[in-house]
Every structure is written in structure tokens, then in C-alpha cells.
């Protein structure tokens, strides 16, 4: 097929160029000969030279407007073919790519523009969710009585500690008992934790906004309810923090980004509403890495309380660091690809990445609708269980959320479980569970899909770009805090073809089926920060709880000694919709160990420990949204 009369760029083009050059040659030669022959009778016309010159320059001829258009189209076709190489579609010849370009301009671009105007004029994915919904279900069983709540253990004999430092590291259940028995008020707790937040934030850089006014209001309401004999449960009057991608009316929701640092969203996030209804009290919006990527945000970079020469890593940096340092009893973070597991492991706290769809995401900045999850950072697995019980359930405005039939983790008979352990598992956990009657066996997940990390990157980057299309088009990415992070990722995502995004989802489904077949145990224990496993777990959608298991010396400690430590953690993984199994196993382990009760040395670093600025130990940066 020829385009507007232009010759085909093949042997036909060569013939066209030859005859056109010959015509031009005869015309020019005739004029030259008439002139020179009058002067020099021996003149021999340079036919061969002119012929060669016109053949060599045939693609650049501008002898008239029609031939100029043909030349431009030929050059344009070659350029487009080069562009098509980025899409692995360079099998089209010049004529076909020109056809594609013309029809894309006429048909595709108007649709692109109409859709952007309709659904993509606002950033962050807060509106117009996709109708393509990911569901990690492994069975077709109907859900019944999925909203039944857990039965919490009764703590008796809990007394108010004499020091505020001891109060800071009490569990939710312990603090709840102090409030229930009126040994302490919610107002007192709010005043106390706000002081700690403001005391340590200059060091850790883990807080974006203090919500003092709201906190005092909610604490007063909690105390008034209790005075009337109304007790809402273990979160009644308990202070907490939210990762600052979660919207709360009247306060900034910055997404950690310079582009949105003054943004106020008058949206009440679903998870915030759930916590408010349980009587919990919001004291701070905590650091999210910029647009939920790693630990760099517009105000700095969040540090690890156990070793302030390190950064916290992962975008749920504020929730992890603040919980670790006793600045809040618990916090809500999020994960798309490692942002719960990585900072929890780095900062030595217990944290749960629940089954995909367990917690509603209305009012939360979206990275990838088929990957994003909200989860708690806490002192213990028991605390994670309490918080999960409050925030789980069907969010009517989040099409991916659903009622999940979790059994009560406090009532699981772990002696009936078979738990695998991988080569990189912390064997102390395995041995403790074995001593408690759990059957433990060596285990490995087997699957043939060898592009797990690539599938995750394709999925995350394309879905993220859909939520930040306008941000990129208006070049706000030039203001981003770390140019080697989202700006690079999303520019590359611009040239991922829709066909290959769909192929990645087909490969993802194949991976899920293979993992399902290979998951022959009730749960397994393994490294929580192995990147392949982080990618796999998020693609498949199964839960993991990160559990502190000990400490080791930091690299190159000062000769005079230091209390700074590197935390050791492991992950307990369960099947989708079996979060209660992972929680029960973690609670069993923590019932006889004390690693999760240790306190970081942010007040007493050691004789030679001064805080360098910037920190000297910079962890390798990798994608941890």
C-alpha cells in the first residue's frame, strides 16, 4: 500500500529515484551544455558525475513541493520505526508505521484526550477507580459471617507505670486496660505522646503534621464517653498516627511530595473513619516517602531509631520509625511493593501486610489499584490483631475491598498447623514454634515464572502513571525529591504498550496458580525483605507479618562502644484470607520471647555516638513503595 502517492521504500523507490534523477540530470545538463559549448567546442558534459550525485542525494530532493513531501514522509517513517523499537514492534515497515501514525492521530489521540479530561485531571487516584479488579481468592467458597469480631484476651492486674518512658512502650491492650480502669485518661496519653513526637522528630524526621487540635477534641470525647459508662473497646482513647497519604479533613495530606505539600483533601479516608468509630485518637500525620516511594520526602529523610546513621527505608518510613521510638502506640502504613515489610524490618517493629482487599482504601493516594494495601505497625502481633480487627471489612467505595472470613487469631489451635521454613528463615522462630507443638517442615515455593520482578514493575508503574498522568504531563516530576525514583520509573512506563501490560497480568495469573499449587503448608517462615519474595507476595496478594527476632552489632562501631544495633527480623507468611494463621503463629512466638519489647537507644547512644548529618550509612536505594 502506498501513502498519498509516495513510492514504496523498496526497489520501487530506487527506480523512482533513478528516473527522477535522470530527468533532473537531463534538464541541468542541457542548460550547462548550451552555455559551455559556445565557449569550448571540446567540452564533454559531465553526465556520469551528475548521475551519481543525483542518485546519492535522491532522498533529500527538494526540487518541488510534492517530492519534498515524499522525502519528509520517508524520513518520518524511518524515525517512527526507531521509536517503535522501544515498544519491541520494529517489525513494521515505513509505510505501515506512517499508516499507524496517521490513524493514531485521527482516532487514538482524541480518545486519549477525552478519557484524560474525564477521569485523569486529578492526581493520586482518589477518584474514578478502574473497573478491572484484582482478587487474590484461591477458592470459590461463599463468605458468611465474615464481619464477626475477634475475642480479645482479658488483661488483669495492669498497673500504671511510674515513668512516662515505660508508658511509651506499653502495648495497645495494656494501655487500653489502663484507660478502661480509669488509671489514665485519653487526654493524658495524647499530651504525653505529642510531647514525645515533638521531642524526637527533629532527630528522626518522621512527622509531617501534628494534629493537636483534633487529638484533644477526640480525646475529650473518648474520656466523656467512658465517664458515661460507654467503652468502645481496646482502641478507646488510644493515640495513633497515619501515613500521610491517608486523607483527614482539615489537615494537609501531602503525599510526602513537594508538588502537594500544601494540599488539603476534604475527604475522610475509610480507614480513618473505622479507627475514629473505635475511639482511637489521631495525633499525627506521619512521613510518607514522596508519592509513597522510599524514605525521601520534601522535608528530609527519615532515620532508623535503632541506628540513626541509617535511614528507615520504605515509604511507610514515618509509621515504622515513630512506632519503633515509642512516639505512638501504633500507626497505619501502606505497601505496594515493600513499604510495610522493609521499614518494619529496618526499624525492628511488628507489622502486618494483610491479604489484598482486607482494608478499604477510600481517601488514600493510590499507586497501583491491584497492589496497594494498608496495614498496622505495632509493638506486637497481638496489637496488630486488634488494629486489623478494627480496620478490616468492606469499604463500599473501594471495589477491591471485601469481607474476608478470618477466624479469631486469639483462638487458633497452632498445634494443628504445619508450618514450612525456607533456607533464609530465622531458626529461632522455627524452634520456638516447634517447642509449642507446631509441625515444622523444610519448605520452598516452586514456580516456573521467571519474570516476577518485571511483572511487578510493569503492573505498578503503568497503574501509577494512570494516577499521575497530569503530574507528568505538566512536568511536575521535574520538582520530585529524588529524580532517580518515580520520574525515571514513570517516564519508562509511558512506553509500555497496553498489550504488554495485559500480557504481564496473564503472567501474573499463571504465577498465582503455580504458587497456589506449591503452597502445601498452612504458613511458612522466611526472610521478609528478600526482593523476589516481596514482589511475589504482593503480586499474589498473600499476607505476611514481620516479627523482630534479635539484634546484631552495627558495621564499623566506634571503639568506645555503642548501643546502636542492626535489627534481625523474619516474616511469617500465610495463604490469602488466612491472616489469622500468621497472626496466631507470631503471637505464639512473641509469648515466650522479648525481642519485640526492646527499646531503641535514641536517648543514650553511647560515648562516641553523635548524629552525623547527613548520615554516613546510606542503604542501597531500591523501589520500596
Amino acid at each position: 500500500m502506498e501513502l498519498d502517492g509516495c513510492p514504496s521504500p523498496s526497489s520501487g523507490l530506487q527506480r523512482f529515484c533513478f528516473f527522477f534523477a535522470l530527468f533532473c540530470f537531463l534538464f541541468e545538463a542541457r542548460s550547462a551544455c548550451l552555455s559551455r559549448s559556445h565557449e569550448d567546442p571540446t567540452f564533454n558534459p559531465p553526465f556520469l558525475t551528475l548521475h551519481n550525485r543525483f542518485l546519492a542525494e535522491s532522498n533529500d530532493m527538494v526540487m518541488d513541493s510534492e517530492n519534498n513531501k515524499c522525502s519528509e514522509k520517508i524520513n518520518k517513517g524511518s524515525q517512527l520505526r526507531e521509536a517503535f523499537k522501544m515498544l519491541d514492534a520494529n517489525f513494521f515497515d515505513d509505510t505501515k508505521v506512517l499508516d499507524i501514525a496517521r490513524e493514531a492521530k485521527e482516532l487514538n489521540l482524541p480518545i486519549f484526550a477525552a478519557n484524560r479530561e474525564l477521569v485523569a485531571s486529578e492526581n493520586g487516584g482518589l477518584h474514578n477507580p478502574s473497573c478491572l479488579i484484582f482478587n487474590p481468592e484461591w477458592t470459590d467458597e461463599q463468605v458468611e459471617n465474615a464481619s464477626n469480631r475477634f475475642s480479645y484476651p482479658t488483661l488483669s492486674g495492669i498497673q500504671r507505670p511510674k515513668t512516662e518512658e515505660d508508658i511509651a512502650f506499653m502495648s495497645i491492650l495494656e494501655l487500653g486496660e489502663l484507660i478502661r480502669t480509669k488509671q489514665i485518661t485519653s487526654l493524658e496519653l495524647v499530651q504525653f505522646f505529642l510531647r514525645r513526637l515533638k521531642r524526637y522528630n527533629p532527630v528522626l524526621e518522621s512527622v509531617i503534621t501534628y494534629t493537636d487540635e483534633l487529638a484533644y477534641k477526640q480525646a475529650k470525647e473518648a474520656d466523656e464517653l467512658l465517664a458515661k459508662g460507654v467503652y468502645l473497646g481496646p482502641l478507646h482513647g488510644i493515640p495513633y498516627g497515619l501515613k500521610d497519604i491517608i486523607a483527614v479533613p482539615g489537615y494537609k495530606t501531602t503525599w510526602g511530595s513537594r508538588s502537594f505539600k500544601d494540599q488539603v483533601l476534604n475527604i475522610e479516608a475509610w480507614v480513618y473513619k473505622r479507627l475514629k468509630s473505635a475511639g482511637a485518637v489521631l495525633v499525627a500525620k506521619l512521613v510518607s516517602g514522596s508519592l509513597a516511594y522510599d524514605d525521601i520526602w520534601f522535608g528530609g529523610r527519615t532515620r532508623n531509631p535503632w541506628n540513626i546513621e541509617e535511614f528507615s527505608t520504605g515509604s511507610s518510613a514515618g509509621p515504622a520509625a515513630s512506632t519503633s521510638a515509642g512516639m505512638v502506640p501504633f500507626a497505619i502504613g501502606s505497601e505496594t511493593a515493600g513499604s510495610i515489610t522493609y521499614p518494619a524490618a529496618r526499624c525492628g517493629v511488628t507489622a502486618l501486610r494483610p491479604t489484598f482487599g482486607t482494608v478499604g482504601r477510600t481517601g488514600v493516594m493510590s499507586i497501583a489499584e491491584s497492589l496497594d494495601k494498608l496495614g498496622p505497625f505495632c509493638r506486637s502481633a497481638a496489637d496488630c490483631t486488634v488494629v486489623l480487627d478494627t480496620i478490616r471489612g468492606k469499604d463500599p467505595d473501594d471495589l477491591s475491598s471485601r469481607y474476608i472470613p478470618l477466624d479469631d487469631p486469639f483462638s487458633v489451635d497452632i498445634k494443628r498447623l504445619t508450618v514450612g521454613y525456607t533456607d533464609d528463615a530465622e531458626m529461632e522462630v522455627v524452634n520456638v514454634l516447634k517447642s509449642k507443638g507446631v509441625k515444622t517442615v523444610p519448605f520452598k515455593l516452586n514456580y516456573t515464572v521467571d519474570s516476577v520482578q518485571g511483572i511487578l514493575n510493569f503492573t505498578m508503574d503503568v497503574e501509577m502513571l494512570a494516577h499521575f498522568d497530569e503530574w507528568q504531563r505538566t512536568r511536575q516530576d521535574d520538582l520530585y525529591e529524588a529524580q532517580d525514583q518515580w520520574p525515571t520509573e514513570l517516564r519508562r512506563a509511558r512506553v509500555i504498550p497496553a498489550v504488554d501490560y495485559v500480557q504481564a497480568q496473564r503472567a501474573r495469573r499463571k504465577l498465582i496458580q503455580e504458587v497456589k499449587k506449591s503452597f502445601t503448608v498452612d504458613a511458612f517462615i522466611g526472610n521478609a525483605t528478600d526482593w523476589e519474595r516481596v514482589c511475589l507476595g504482593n503480586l499474589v496478594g498473600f499476607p505476611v507479618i514481620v516479627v523482630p527476632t534479635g539484634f546484631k552489632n552495627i558495621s564499623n562501631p566506634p571503639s568506645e562502644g555503642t548501643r546502636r544495633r542492626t535489627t534481625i527480623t523474619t516474616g511469617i507468611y500465610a495463604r490469602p484470607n488466612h491472616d489469622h494463621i500468621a497472626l496466631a503463629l507470631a503471637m505464639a512466638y512473641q509469648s515466650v520471647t522479648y525481642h519485640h519489647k526492646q527499646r531503641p537507644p535514641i536517648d543514650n547512644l553511647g560515648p562516641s555516638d553523635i548524629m552525623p548529618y547527613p548520615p554516613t550509612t546510606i542503604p542501597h536505594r531500591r523501589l520500596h513503595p
Side-chain angles (χ1 to χ4, degrees), residues 129-432:
S130 169
C131 64
L132 303 177
I133 305 303
F134 171 62
N135 189 332
E137 293 279 1
W138 284 3
T139 70
D140 295 324
E141 296 177 2
Q142 296 297 314
V143 175
E144 296 181 3
N145 300 321
S147 60
N148 289 345
R149 294 295 152 188
F150 305 152
S151 298
Y152 310 124
T154 300
L155 301 183
S156 58
I158 301 296
Q159 298 296 315
R160 177 173 176 166
K162 295 181 179 179
T163 68
E164 289 190 346
E165 183 73 11
D166 290 333
I167 293 174
F169 290 93
M170 294 183 80
S171 71
I172 289 173
L173 288 173
E174 291 169 337
L175 289 172
E177 183 65 8
L178 291 183
I179 285 180
R180 189 187 69 81
T181 56
K182 299 181 180 179
Q183 298 182 60
I184 199 168
T185 66
S186 178
L187 183 61
E188 287 179 286
L189 285 180
V190 164
Q191 293 170 334
F192 165 64
F193 281 108
L194 279 172
R195 283 198 299 272
R196 283 188 70 87
L197 284 162
K198 294 175 181 180
R199 175 181 177 182
Y200 294 116
N201 186 55
V203 175
L204 297 179
E205 299 181 12
S206 61
V207 180
I208 292 182
T209 302
Y210 302 102
T211 57
D212 304 53
E213 184 178 351
L214 176 64
Y216 288 129
K217 176 178 178 291
Q218 292 181 339
K220 181 181 177 182
E221 292 171 353
D223 290 336
E224 289 174 348
L225 279 176
L226 192 61
K228 296 175 182 177
V230 179
Y231 181 63
L232 299 176
L235 293 185
H236 188 124
I238 303 296
Y240 73 100
L242 288 175
K243 183 177 180 178
D244 200 33
I245 62 170
I246 301 171
V248 175
Y251 289 91
K252 293 179 181 179
T253 302
T254 71
W255 302 341
S257 170
R258 189 178 294 118
S259 298
F260 303 97
K261 65 183 180 66
D262 297 317
Q263 173 178 254
V264 176
L265 299 171
N266 289 315
I267 302 170
E268 201 169 45
W270 190 84
V271 69
Y272 168 68
K273 287 193 287 187
R274 298 289 290 180
L275 290 165
K276 184 172 68 171
S277 69
V281 178
L282 180 66
V283 291
K285 302 289 292 297
L286 304 176
V287 164
S288 166
S290 185
L291 301 185
Y293 189 138
D294 212 6
D295 50 22
I296 297 175
W297 58 291
F298 67 84
R301 195 172 184 187
T302 305
R303 305 174 193 275
N304 171 17
W306 277 101
N307 182 3
I308 59 170
E309 285 194 340
E310 288 185 328
F311 296 114
S312 62
T313 194
S315 72
S316 297
S322 297
T323 304
S324 174
M327 296 158 69
V328 288
F330 76 96
I332 304 297
S334 69
E335 172 157 330
T336 306
S339 271
I340 288 177
T341 51
Y342 273 90
R346 177 63 60 82
C347 297
V349 295
T350 307
L352 174 69
R353 183 191 75 205
T355 297
F356 177 86
T358 303
V359 183
R361 303 168 302 180
T362 297
V364 180
M365 190 207 88
S366 180
I367 292 180
E369 290 178 51
S370 71
L371 292 168
D372 296 341
K373 296 157 290 293
L374 298 175
F377 289 78
C378 299
R379 306 246 175 278
S380 66
D383 284 0
C384 285
T385 303
V386 171
V387 177
L388 178 68
D389 194 30
T390 300
I391 63 178
R392 68 190 176 104
K394 174 63 179 175
D395 173 358
D397 295 318
D398 179 358
L399 301 180
S400 294
S401 73
R402 61 200 190 284
Y403 291 115
I404 293 178
L406 297 178
D407 292 337
D408 186 347
F410 293 107
S411 302
V412 171
D413 183 1
I414 63 171
K415 294 180 180 180
R416 301 177 63 181
L417 301 177
T418 299
V419 176
Y421 56 91
T422 61
D423 291 342
D424 56 8
E426 287 297 322
M427 292 307 296
E428 181 192 79
V429 181
V430 178
N431 294 331
V432 166

Side-chain angles (χ1 to χ4, degrees), residues 469-531:
D469 187 22
E470 190 268 347
W471 178 75
Q472 187 185 73
R473 287 179 180 277
T474 54
R475 299 185 179 180
Q476 294 179 65
D477 58 343
D478 290 339
L479 302 176
Y480 191 79
E481 288 72 12
Q483 285 294 306
D484 59 337
Q485 295 181 354
W486 277 135
T488 299
E489 292 279 333
L490 298 187
R491 289 164 193 160
R492 186 171 67 247
R494 184 64 68 176
V495 293
I496 296 175
V499 169
D500 290 294
Y501 170 79
V502 173
Q503 303 294 31
Q505 301 319 300
R506 297 175 72 192
R508 181 181 183 182
R509 174 53 61 183
K510 179 177 177 64
L511 174 68
I512 290 171
Q513 293 301 321
E514 292 182 348
V515 169
K516 175 183 176 181
K517 184 177 180 180
S518 178
F519 209 121
T520 56
V521 292
D522 295 299
F524 74 89
I525 301 166
N527 189 308
T529 57
D530 175 80
W531 183 237

Side-chain angles (χ1 to χ4, degrees), residues 352 381 385 409 412 417 522-524 543-545 547 572-575 578-588:
L352 174 69
T385 303
V412 171
L417 301 177
D522 295 299
F524 74 89
V544 60
I545 185 166
V547 179
I572 301 177
Y573 299 80
R575 297 162 176 251
H578 287 70
D579 307 52
H580 56 281
I581 299 294
L583 288 164
L585 291 167
M587 285 192 286

